[in-house]
Amino acid sequence: MERTLMIIKPDAMEKGHIGDILSILEKQPGLDLIGLRKVKLSPDDARHFYAIHKERPFFGELVQYMTRGPVVVIAIEGENAVARMRGIIGATNPKEAAEGTIRKLYAESIGENAVHGSDSPENGLVETGFFFFEREFLRLRK
Ligand code: CMP
């Protein structure tokens, strides 16, 4: 069992894609949306969450973007959840994303790319823990 975090980012929120994206997730057999919340990140939240990118030239832009409006954070659990979600999300750059992926459908650019997905099982645990307490997770059938 793995956990992964998806964030529906401000650009996708502004375009009204919460429902479209949740509907894609709900259709995935074996992936359980165990936590779901709308939040507004503070600049400190965004700097901590993306600390791994702090030396990148786009870091300031990334913090601005991620804090300009509310986002939806979703904790997802399932077998092979990290790789499966990365497949559903598509490449970081929407121009390189496969047909039918969330970024191909809804993202504009490499910076404003509609959603975030954890890149490893280890980060899946860290990132879901960034937004949720263990006691908040609710499973569909357990
Ligand atoms: P995400 O998968 O959330 O992880 C890091 C984020 O940084 C990425 O999605 C983009 O929003 C942003 N990002 C990555 N590469 C670039 C880039 N070359 N220019 C601007 N933003 C980027």
Side-chain angles (χ1 to χ4, degrees):
M1 267 310 183
E2 288 177 0
R3 277 184 201 161
T4 182
L5 183 81
M6 171 175 269
I7 305 178
I8 304 180
K9 297 182 176 184
D11 57 319
M13 299 287 290
E14 289 155 9
K15 291 185 217 148
H17 290 313
I18 301 175
D20 299 316
I21 292 168
L22 287 180
S23 145
I24 292 172
L25 301 188
E26 274 193 306
K27 292 189 184 85
Q28 307 302 319
L31 291 184
D32 199 349
L33 311 187
I34 60 173
L36 184 66
R37 186 186 301 126
K38 188 175 178 184
V39 289
K40 176 111 170 17
L41 300 184
S42 68
D44 265 357
D45 292 333
R47 281 193 282 266
H48 281 116
F49 184 81
Y50 280 120
I52 195 167
H53 296 302
K54 66 176 188 296
E55 305 303 336
R56 303 280 198 100
F58 58 78
F59 187 66
E61 203 180 300
L62 176 60
V63 171
Q64 280 252 330
Y65 159 54
M66 290 301 293
T67 56
R68 77 175 185 221
V71 300
V72 169
V73 291
I74 309 156
I76 300 162
E77 190 176 73
E79 297 286 343
N80 203 22
V82 172
R84 285 187 62 196
M85 282 301 299
R86 289 178 72 75
I88 293 160
I89 289 171
T92 305
N93 186 347
K95 293 183 181 72
E96 291 159 15
E99 284 304 324
T101 59
I102 292 173
R103 284 178 176 151
K104 183 71 177 186
L105 288 165
Y106 304 122
E108 290 291 318
S109 66
I110 190 164
E112 303 213 355
N113 59 1
V115 289
H116 167 82
S118 306
D119 65 1
S120 67
E122 296 71 32
N123 281 339
L125 285 177
V126 172
E127 292 181 357
T128 51
F130 189 92
F131 289 104
F132 297 95
F133 292 111
E134 195 64 34
R135 63 176 180 272
E136 294 180 289
F137 292 138
L138 299 171
R139 291 172 183 80
L140 210 50
R141 282 184 210 84
K142 270 178 257 169

